Amino acid sequence: MGLPALGLLLAAGLLHTQASPSARSFQLDYKHNCFLKDGAPFRYISGSIHYARVPRPAWRDRLLKMYMSGLSAVQVYVPWNYHETLPGVYDFTGNRDVEAFLDLTAELGLLVILRPGPYICAEWEMGGLPAWLLWKPDIILRTSSPAYLAAVDSWLHVLLPKIKPRLYHQGGNIISVQVENEYGSYYACDHGYLRHLLGSFRALLGSEVLLFTTDSARAQELHCGTLQGLYATVDFGPGSNVTEAFGAQRRVEPKGPLVNSEYYTGWLDYWGEAHASTSAAWVARGLEDMLQLGASVNMQVVSWQRAQPPGQWASPLAFISLGSGQQGLYMFHGGTNFAYWSGADYKGQYKPVTTSYDYDAPLSEAGDPTEKLFAIRMVISKFQPLPAGPMPPATPKYAYGWVALRKYADLLDVLDVLCPSGPIQSQFPLTFEALKQIHGFVVYHTQLPWDVPDPATLGAPPHSICDRGYVMLQKEYQGTLERDGQTTLHVTGRAGDSLDILMENMGRISFGANTSDFKGLLGNLSLNSRPLSNWLIYPLAIDTAVQQGWPHTALPKSSGGRVGPAFYTGTFETPGIAWDTFVKFPGWSKGLLWINGFNLGRYWSCRGPQQTLFVPGSVLHAGHPNNITVLELEGAPPTPLLLFLDRPLYNRTLGCSTTATE
C-alpha cells in the first residue's frame, strides 16, 4: 500500500564500466546487481510528490525545493479517476495537466519514477480507480474481468502515449515505470491480469523502458504480485528482519539490485486520531547509517498494516538494506486532499483520511522547508554535492483574522438549486453508484407511514450507512448515523411527517479487498424494524452550483435558527496581497469550505486532529472580495465566525455528538 511519507530512495551503482557517449538508457545490471544509466554506474536520491495534491501555481516552488534538497528524482503517481472523470471524458487541463508537470520536472533537472497504476492506493479516493467502474454490476476490480480490462485498456491508450515521448531512452526524464501497486496484497491473485497489463505497457511504451512491481516481503504477496518481465521489488519497515525481507526478494529476483521500496519514517492521520509526528534527528540518523553502507532505502510514513506506533519502533540501525535500489513512493511533499479526493483505509473499521496530506514530510503541507528537510539535506551533503545556491524560503503566510458569516439557507430549502433535474423515485433507497453520483452528497426523502407517539427506533442494517447520514424529521435535525458507529436514532412524529437523510461520501477505501466501496444507503431504513419505502432521492450537485457563483449571486433565503445541514456565506478582502493562509472553524462541527468557488475540502473540528484547512494564496483575489461558502452539516456556532491564521493547528478532539440533543 503506497502509504505516505518521506519517499527517499537511494539507487547505488557499483559497476566500473564506461558508457558510450551516444548511449541513452536506464537498465538493470544483473551481473553486478545494480542499475546503469547510459551504461555507467548510477546513484539517485528521490522523493515523492503528487501533482494532484498541489495547486499548479505551486508546482515549481515545490519541485525546486526538492531539487535544492539534493534529490535527483521525483516519484509521481497518476490517479486515473482524476483524469477520466466519467467514462470516455478526459481532463488534462489546469491542475490535471500531467504533461506540464512532467515537463517542469525535466526543466528543473529532475528524473522521474512514474507510477501510473491503473491502481495506485496513495490514500486517494478508491486508490485512483474511477468510481464509475462500480456502475457496471458484473465488474470485478483489479482482475481479468472483461468489463474492467476494457476500461483499463481504454485509459492506458489515452495516458501512455502521453508518457512515451518522455521516457529516458526517448530523450525524456522518466527512468522507470511501475505496473499496478502492491497487487500481491489484493485477494484476487490474478496473474492473467498482470500479464495483460504487461502486454499493454510494452505495446504502448516499447521494450526498453524498465517496468517494475512493488509488494511486501511476504511469500504469498510476492507470489501473487510478481510476474516474469516485471522487475520485482519489496517494501518493509521498522520491525522487519532485513535479511529475511531481501531473502524474499531474492527468491523471486535471484539477480539484480536489492530494493526496499518503502522505509517508513512517520505515521498517517485519520479523522478522530492523534496527529502524527516523527523526530527529524531519528530520520536523519537512520538515513545516514544506511547511506554509509551503500544501502537503498525509500523513506516512508509507516503503514498500520505493517508496523507499530512510533513509540514502539526499533532503532533505524536494524533496517539497513545492502545493495542498490530503485523506486520511490512517499512522501517528500504531501500536499492537500482538496475537495473529495481523500481516501480511506479499513482495519476492523472504516478510517477516513484527513484533508491535510502533510504527513510530517520534509516539505510541509504548505510547501515550507522543515527541520526534517534540513536534517536530511545535511546528511545528503555528506555523500554528494548539493546544488549551488540557497534553499528557497517558505512561502509567505498571512493571518487575515476574523471573518463573520451569515446563514444563507438550510440545505433542504435549496434542493431545487442543488438538484435541478429533480428527484428520482424509488421504492427503496439507491446507492450513489446506482444514481451515478461520484462524490459528495445525496438526500433520501420519505414520509412517516404511521403515527409515532412514543420514541421509535430508526435504524439501518449492518454496514449499510456509507458513510454518514444526517437525519431530519420535519426539517429538524435529529442526529447522525455513522458507518461503524451509531446506526440507530429514536424519533417521534405523525403520519405524513417528512423524513430526510443527507448521506455523505467520506471517501472510498483505497487499500485491500474493499475497493468496491459503494456509497449511500446500501440497505433500507426501518422504523421499529418495519421497512420504510416510497423514497424521493436527490443527487446533489453542490460544487456545480458554487462554481457558478451560487449562493453569492442569489437572494438570501429566510431560515430560522434550526441546526443541521445549512449553508453560510461571507466575504473578506486581503490587504492587496494573496498569500497562503489557514482557516480555523471555532465552534463549528463538520462540513466543507469553498473560497471563490474552489473546494478546499472537509473540516471536522470536533473530531480532529486537523483543526485548520490550508488555503493556497493562488485561490484568493488580491484587493477584491473573496467569496466564502460553508456547508455545515451538524451545527454552526450561534455567531458564525471563521479565523484566518498564518499557521496550521492540530489537536486530538473526540467530542463530537451524533445526536441533536446531547
Side-chain angles (χ1 to χ4, degrees):
M1 171 179 182
L3 278 184
L6 176 58
L8 284 180
L9 162 80
L10 293 111
L14 305 177
L15 187 63
H16 301 286
T17 60
Q18 297 298 317
S20 165
S22 61
R24 188 173 175 88
S25 62
F26 188 82
Q27 300 170 319
L28 297 161
D29 185 337
Y30 287 101
K31 182 178 180 181
H32 297 87
N33 298 329
C34 69
F35 291 96
L36 298 176
K37 180 172 172 281
D38 301 335
F42 179 69
R43 168 185 185 140
Y44 64 77
I45 305 174
S46 75
S48 288
I49 180 173
H50 299 163
Y51 61 91
R53 285 174 163 134
V54 182
R56 181 169 179 166
W59 285 352
R60 180 179 293 273
D61 172 79
R62 308 304 194 259
L63 289 170
L64 181 58
K65 287 170 179 170
M66 295 175 78
Y67 176 79
M68 294 303 296
S69 298
L71 305 184
S72 53
V74 292
Q75 301 147 0
V76 180
Y77 275 133
V78 181
W80 177 7
N81 55 7
Y82 194 59
H83 295 286
E84 191 174 2
T85 54
L86 293 170
V89 178
Y90 301 98
D91 189 350
F92 291 96
T93 64
N95 217 79
R96 304 174 201 240
D97 191 344
V98 61
E99 293 176 279
F101 181 82
L102 293 173
D103 291 345
L104 184 56
T105 65
E107 177 189 332
L108 294 174
L110 290 161
L111 299 170
V112 169
I113 300 151
L114 193 71
R115 313 186 70 198
Y119 164 82
I120 63 169
C121 183
E123 284 71 61
W124 188 260
E125 154 80 7
M126 204 164 145
L129 298 178
W132 50 257
L133 291 172
L134 300 177
W135 299 355
K136 306 172 186 292
D138 58 342
I139 200 166
I140 306 175
L141 302 179
R142 302 176 72 191
T143 70
S144 297
S145 161
Y148 179 69
L149 290 185
V152 167
D153 288 345
S154 177
W155 163 238
L156 294 180
H157 276 78
V158 171
L159 174 66
L160 295 187
K162 299 178 185 295
I163 301 306
K164 186 173 182 180
R166 294 172 170 83
L167 297 176
Y168 185 77
H169 67 273
Q170 297 274 7
N173 63 330
I174 299 173
I175 56 176
S176 59
V177 178
Q178 182 176 318
V179 176
E180 247 278 349
N181 187 42
E182 286 197 328
Y183 186 67
S185 66
Y186 195 58
Y187 75 94
C189 196
D190 185 345
H191 285 103
Y193 166 54
L194 290 182
R195 279 190 290 272
H196 183 92
L197 290 182
L198 173 58
S200 296
F201 275 68
R202 285 292 177 215
L204 294 167
L205 296 180
S207 60
E208 294 185 53
V209 62
L210 173 59
L211 302 178
F212 66 94
T213 61
T214 300
D215 287 283
S216 84
R218 299 183 183 94
Q220 177 62 24
E221 294 192 17
L222 284 169
H223 168 71
C224 292
T226 60
L227 187 73
Q228 186 174 1
L230 298 170
Y231 190 70
T233 73
V234 294
D235 51 37
F236 57 90
S240 299
N241 182 300
V242 173
T243 302
E244 290 182 2
F246 279 133
Q249 184 188 0
R250 277 289 174 251
R251 283 190 285 276
V252 293
E253 291 288 0
K255 297 290 184 181
L258 296 173
V259 181
N260 175 2
S261 297
E262 301 176 10
Y263 175 74
Y264 308 116
T265 64
W267 204 264
L268 175 64
D269 276 359
Y270 301 103
W271 290 115
E273 298 187 5
H275 173 56
S277 61
T278 55
S279 162
W282 189 93
V283 172
R285 184 171 65 250
L287 174 61
E288 183 167 1
D289 290 337
M290 288 180 278
L291 281 172
Q292 287 174 342
L293 294 180
S296 30
V297 58
N298 173 25
M299 311 272 272
Q300 175 113 351
V301 164
V302 99
S303 157
W304 47 256
Q305 279 91 350
R306 306 193 190 96
Q308 301 299 320
Q312 300 177 29
W313 289 351
S315 163
L317 288 172
F319 312 115
I320 294 171
S321 60
L322 302 179
S324 62
Q326 180 265 0
Q327 195 193 160
L329 290 169
Y330 286 64
M331 287 306 302
F332 203 86
H333 173 52
T336 307
N337 291 311
F338 294 116
Y340 309 106
W341 290 115
S342 57
D345 285 324
Y346 194 89
K347 187 185 180 185
Q349 65 178 8
Y350 175 76
K351 297 164 69 77
V353 176
T354 58
T355 301
S356 172
Y357 205 70
D358 180 89
Y359 285 104
D360 197 30
L363 281 174
S364 72
E365 179 181 11
D368 297 338
T370 65
E371 176 191 0
K372 187 176 292 182
L373 180 145
F374 288 107
I376 290 165
R377 190 171 186 257
M378 179 63 70
V379 170
I380 292 173
S381 72
K382 297 178 182 180
F383 296 88
Q384 66 183 44
L386 295 175
M391 171 66 64
T395 57
K397 311 293 187 301
Y398 197 85
Y400 297 102
W402 293 96
V403 176
L405 304 186
R406 65 173 181 175
K407 185 174 182 179
Y408 171 77
D410 292 303
L411 181 140
L412 293 180
D413 291 336
V414 289
L415 292 181
D416 58 329
V417 175
L418 304 180
C419 185
S421 60
I424 297 166
Q425 297 185 13
S426 178
Q427 185 74 3
F428 299 108
L430 301 174
T431 65
F432 277 44
E433 291 70 27
L435 298 165
K436 298 189 176 180
Q437 177 87 349
I438 302 290
H439 303 295
F441 299 87
V442 170
V443 170
Y444 296 80
H445 169 87
T446 189
Q447 295 178 334
L448 295 186
W450 56 82
D451 289 341
V452 186
D454 299 316
T457 300
L458 178 71
H463 314 298
S464 62
I465 300 293
C466 292
D467 299 304
R468 287 172 63 83
Y470 306 92
V471 179
M472 282 76 70
L473 189 61
Q474 288 292 89
K475 295 188 177 182
E476 295 290 340
Y477 174 63
Q478 304 296 306
T480 301
L481 305 177
E482 185 170 14
R483 182 173 183 169
D484 298 324
Q486 180 172 327
T487 58
T488 61
L489 291 171
H490 291 100
V491 298
T492 59
R494 303 178 65 177
D497 283 356
S498 63
L499 175 66
D500 295 274
I501 300 93
L502 174 66
M503 290 300 303
E504 178 185 12
N505 169 5
M506 282 290 293
R508 291 180 178 84
I509 292 171
S510 53
F511 179 78
N514 298 315
T515 45
S516 295
D517 189 14
F518 292 86
K519 296 300 183 182
L521 285 177
L522 275 55
N524 203 10
L525 293 185
S526 62
L527 196 59
N528 276 351
S529 301
R530 296 171 63 182
L532 298 172
S533 59
N534 299 319
W535 294 89
L536 294 178
I537 306 174
Y538 297 80
L540 303 187
I542 299 174
D543 287 81
T544 299
V546 173
Q547 289 163 10
Q548 293 173 352
W550 182 90
H552 294 270
T553 56
L555 294 175
K557 297 277 186 177
S558 60
S559 59
R562 293 194 300 260
V563 297
F567 289 94
Y568 295 78
T569 60
T571 62
F572 74 102
E573 292 193 21
T574 69
I577 57 174
W579 288 359
D580 294 349
T581 187
F582 298 86
V583 60
K584 188 175 186 293
F585 300 81
W588 300 73
S589 297
K590 185 183 191 302
L592 287 96
L593 169 69
W594 293 261
I595 295 183
N596 296 327
F598 185 83
N599 189 333
L600 291 155
R602 304 175 179 95
Y603 67 88
W604 202 349
S605 305
C606 64
R607 183 69 61 95
Q610 184 177 353
Q611 295 295 301
T612 52
L613 289 181
F614 173 57
V615 182
S618 57
V619 170
L620 303 178
H621 300 154
H624 298 282
N626 292 275
N627 291 331
I628 299 174
T629 303
V630 172
L631 170 59
E632 167 59 44
L633 295 167
E634 293 180 324
T639 303
L641 298 170
L642 301 182
L643 177 59
F644 286 83
L645 304 169
D646 58 4
R647 66 192 186 281
L649 296 178
Y650 294 91
N651 185 30
R652 182 180 175 88
T653 54
L654 303 174
C656 288
S657 169
T658 55
T659 64
T661 57
E662 289 182 353

